[in-house]
Amino acid sequence: MPRTALPPETLVLPAPAKLNRLLHITGRRPDGYHELQTLFQFLDHGDTLTLRGREDSELRLSPRLPGVAAEDNLVVRAARLLQAESGCRRGADIHLAKRLPLGGGLGGGSSDAATTLLGLDALWGLGLGLTQLARLGLALGADVPVFVHGHAAWAEGVGERLTPVELDTPWFVVLHPGVTVSTPAVFGAPQLTRHTPPITMARALQGGAASWRNDCEPTVRALYPEVAHALDWLATRAPSMLTGTGACVFARLDSEAGADCILAEVPEGWQAFKARGLNRSPLHAALGR
């Protein structure tokens, strides 16, 4: 059967997931935000955005995400911000195929925003550089810049100060235990570790994956027994860890076959997928950047 041709001026682009391979909380700022040190890595799994240019200035997103008003969606916010900053009078029809769970710690909304910024920059012929697009992305969320720059990174500050790194690229199994974790609740918890001594990027990389941890994990375990159960279940099969503030947890595997074995045993009621770690974002590969 012949493939259906896409309409002119249409881009179909990935919005990949990320993992926090390491996450340290080194302090709390006067504005309430926390100082972090983390290692971001992309996965070859995520959402997909289809963007089609319009000659008018309307922005139409489909379908609507349950419980998320259209104007609150980071895709729409990113598109409006790009219009405002560039003065572009064109619009777009945007279709979001959502595969990543909301609030899972995989950066789905931030990745969607970054794909929107880079995709519309290309579609509208704006020619903005990554530095400028990352600056716009930071106004939308601390995780957006790493998706804009498109390379695995050591990050500091609130996650916006990025240094590209080359990490190992194993297979991962990612589990979502079916609960929603409140990031404000985790960062506001009195028992959260907030004063891990800062380390250098070189020391973190030298220590390797066996020494990496997530400072949010003990607090999330205490607040969300379902996440604790998922971590414990996964840890009996491979080294496991929380990503971000969760609810997703992940295990590092040396082979795809090992990932398949774990997926075959996942209890009913949990979402799970396998993915390969990537140091270059598939979004940048798709756009040739």
Side-chain angles (χ1 to χ4, degrees), residues 17-25 36-41 43 103-108 110 143 147 158-159 174-176 180-187 192-193 213-221 223-224 227 231 240-250:
K18 62 82 178 167
L19 293 178
N20 296 92
R21 300 284 305 273
L22 167 153
L23 178 57
H24 292 173
I25 304 173
L36 309 175
Q37 291 185 314
T38 189
L39 280 169
F40 286 117
Q41 187 171 36
L43 298 178
L106 300 174
S110 295
D143 285 353
F147 289 106
V158 296
V174 180
L175 295 181
H176 189 284
T180 300
V181 170
S182 166
T183 296
V186 173
F187 278 110
L192 180 70
T193 298
R213 71 174 192 277
N214 183 335
D215 281 346
C216 295
E217 192 170 304
T219 298
V220 175
R221 276 181 171 275
L223 295 177
Y224 299 92
V227 177
L231 281 163
S240 66
M241 196 169 141
L242 185 77
T243 180
T245 57
C248 286
V249 302
F250 66 92

Side-chain angles (χ1 to χ4, degrees), residues 101-154:
L102 296 176
L106 300 174
S110 295
S111 187
D112 294 341
T115 294
T116 301
L117 290 172
L118 270 70
L120 292 181
D121 175 70
L123 198 63
W124 293 341
L126 302 178
L128 302 182
L130 293 182
T131 299
Q132 189 170 356
L133 291 171
R135 178 182 62 79
L136 296 180
L138 183 59
L140 300 167
D143 285 353
V144 179
V146 71
F147 289 106
V148 171
H149 284 291
H151 203 284
W154 169 257

Side-chain angles (χ1 to χ4, degrees), residues 60-144:
R60 297 180 179 176
L61 174 64
S62 64
R64 286 196 173 187
L65 296 179
V68 180
E71 292 303 311
D72 293 334
N73 191 298
L74 280 173
V75 169
V76 175
R77 291 175 57 198
R80 292 207 184 286
L81 181 60
L82 190 61
Q83 281 181 328
E85 290 289 322
S86 68
C88 181
R89 296 186 178 181
R90 296 192 61 195
D93 293 317
I94 305 172
H95 181 270
L96 172 59
K98 195 72 184 164
R99 300 172 73 193
L100 300 177
L102 296 176
L106 300 174
S110 295
S111 187
D112 294 341
T115 294
T116 301
L117 290 172
L118 270 70
L120 292 181
D121 175 70
L123 198 63
W124 293 341
L126 302 178
L128 302 182
L130 293 182
T131 299
Q132 189 170 356
L133 291 171
R135 178 182 62 79
L136 296 180
L138 183 59
L140 300 167
D143 285 353
V144 179

